[in-house]
Amino acid sequence: CQHLHLTYPQIPLLVLVSSTEWASLPEIFQQGVWDYLSKPIQGIELNRRLELIVDLKEKMMSQGQVESRLVELEAKLKDTEAELNKVTRRLDAANQELQSLAPSDPLTGLPDHNRMNRSLEYEWKRALRNEDPLSFLLLQVDNLQYLQQTYGTEMAEECLLQMANILSYYPYRPGDQAARYGETLFAVLLTNTHLTGAAVVVENIRQKILELNTREPLQLRIGIGHLVPNPSTSPEYLIALAQSQLNEQQ
């Protein structure tokens, strides 16, 4: 039996046994036998057993085809996901290139308000898709108008340039960005950054600005907006969180 099973594994085996051979049935089944009939053979019983075996074999073959098809579909799905990841990376690279060609603030060279908003919109969609955190910083220089009135426009612009130089070092990831968001307002977008990481960046920025060589220290307020995007929120809400914290410091 075992030799037949190994030679023709696709063919079901049915054996005939006498009453004296019943004790050997466990061993027979271990050798690949599907079923047995007791001697003497009854024609109706033989036909019925054969029908059952053929039906079972067909079902097993059908199940095997289904499982094979599932394996094939899983492989195709993995290939599709890999191709999608490649396309996503190419889109990200193209977006970064477009951003580099987008309008910048003429004084500081940083991206302007509109360019930052477009970047935030793009990174928001990506974070929503990947369930990544986003942090958004607003930095307000409160005494810049006073410095301009007291020491002149050139000195005030020099302060802005020094701030822009500091902020330009803080986009660590490809999607991060610093921008001049208003006349005396700057913004920093930190992708895939939790609140603790954003707080570290804020303190580093604050310390470097305090070390600037200006006639008077810059009076700086920094607001942090942080969340993991979901369909019920929006980029505007993230900005509002940062603005709210900025207002609390007045």
Side-chain angles (χ1 to χ4, degrees):
C1 291
Q2 187 174 16
H3 175 72
L4 286 172
H5 175 65
L6 294 176
T7 306
Y8 307 104
Q10 73 279 10
I11 299 178
L13 297 180
L14 178 67
V15 299
L16 301 177
V17 297
S18 64
S19 59
T20 60
E21 295 173 317
W22 286 351
S24 62
L25 284 176
E27 181 181 353
I28 290 175
F29 283 125
Q30 290 179 359
Q31 294 176 4
V33 171
W34 284 47
D35 203 352
Y36 74 96
L37 283 174
S38 300
K39 300 175 182 178
I41 304 173
Q42 301 294 326
I44 187 170
E45 183 180 5
L46 175 60
N47 290 336
R48 183 56 180 160
R49 291 291 184 90
L50 290 175
E51 289 175 358
L52 291 174
I53 290 176
V54 170
D55 182 61
L56 179 59
K57 180 64 176 178
E58 289 177 349
K59 289 181 178 179
M60 292 179 65
M61 291 179 63
S62 177
Q63 181 180 358
Q65 291 173 352
V66 170
E67 291 175 351
S68 177
R69 180 58 176 166
L70 286 175
V71 171
E72 181 183 345
L73 290 175
E74 288 177 356
K76 287 184 177 180
L77 179 60
K78 290 181 180 179
D79 292 341
T80 301
E81 290 176 346
E83 186 62 29
L84 179 60
N85 289 334
K86 291 181 182 179
V87 172
T88 301
R89 288 193 293 270
R90 288 198 293 267
L91 286 174
D92 290 342
N95 181 68
Q96 294 301 318
E97 184 177 355
L98 286 173
Q99 287 184 0
S100 66
L101 300 175
S104 300
D105 175 60
L107 175 63
T108 63
L110 291 177
D112 61 13
H113 184 282
N114 292 333
R115 182 174 163 189
M116 169 59 88
N117 284 350
R118 288 195 296 272
S119 297
L120 176 56
E121 181 74 26
Y122 178 84
E123 294 301 332
W124 179 275
K125 292 177 181 177
R126 181 161 63 172
L128 180 64
R129 183 174 62 251
N130 299 332
E131 298 183 354
D132 291 333
L134 279 181
S135 293
F136 190 79
L137 313 180
L138 285 177
L139 304 91
Q140 175 68 51
V141 183
D142 286 330
N143 62 335
L144 191 65
Q145 186 175 3
Y146 163 78
L147 294 175
Q148 181 177 1
Q149 294 174 347
T150 305
Y151 301 104
T153 299
E154 185 176 348
M155 191 273 183
E157 290 181 348
E158 179 60 28
C159 290
L160 291 174
L161 287 171
Q162 291 189 50
M163 273 201 64
N165 186 55
I166 291 173
L167 296 180
S168 65
Y169 286 99
Y170 281 92
Y172 296 117
R173 298 177 178 84
D176 293 355
Q177 190 172 97
R180 187 180 182 190
Y181 213 55
E183 184 177 356
T184 59
L185 184 66
F186 292 85
V188 178
L189 171 62
L190 300 173
T191 59
N192 199 16
T193 302
H194 292 280
L195 183 59
T196 52
V200 171
V201 172
V202 165
E203 289 308 310
N204 288 340
I205 292 174
R206 193 188 305 275
Q207 184 61 38
K208 289 187 177 296
I209 289 176
L210 288 175
E211 296 171 357
L212 286 178
N213 184 22
T214 56
R215 295 191 181 184
E216 294 188 29
L218 297 181
Q219 297 175 7
L220 184 69
R221 288 181 291 128
I222 304 178
I224 305 177
H226 168 78
L227 51 72
V228 177
N230 63 75
S232 64
T233 56
S234 65
E236 291 75 19
Y237 179 69
L238 179 61
I239 297 173
L241 290 176
Q243 186 65 58
S244 176
Q245 191 177 103
L246 197 67
N247 295 340
E248 291 175 0
Q249 300 174 32
Q250 285 183 324

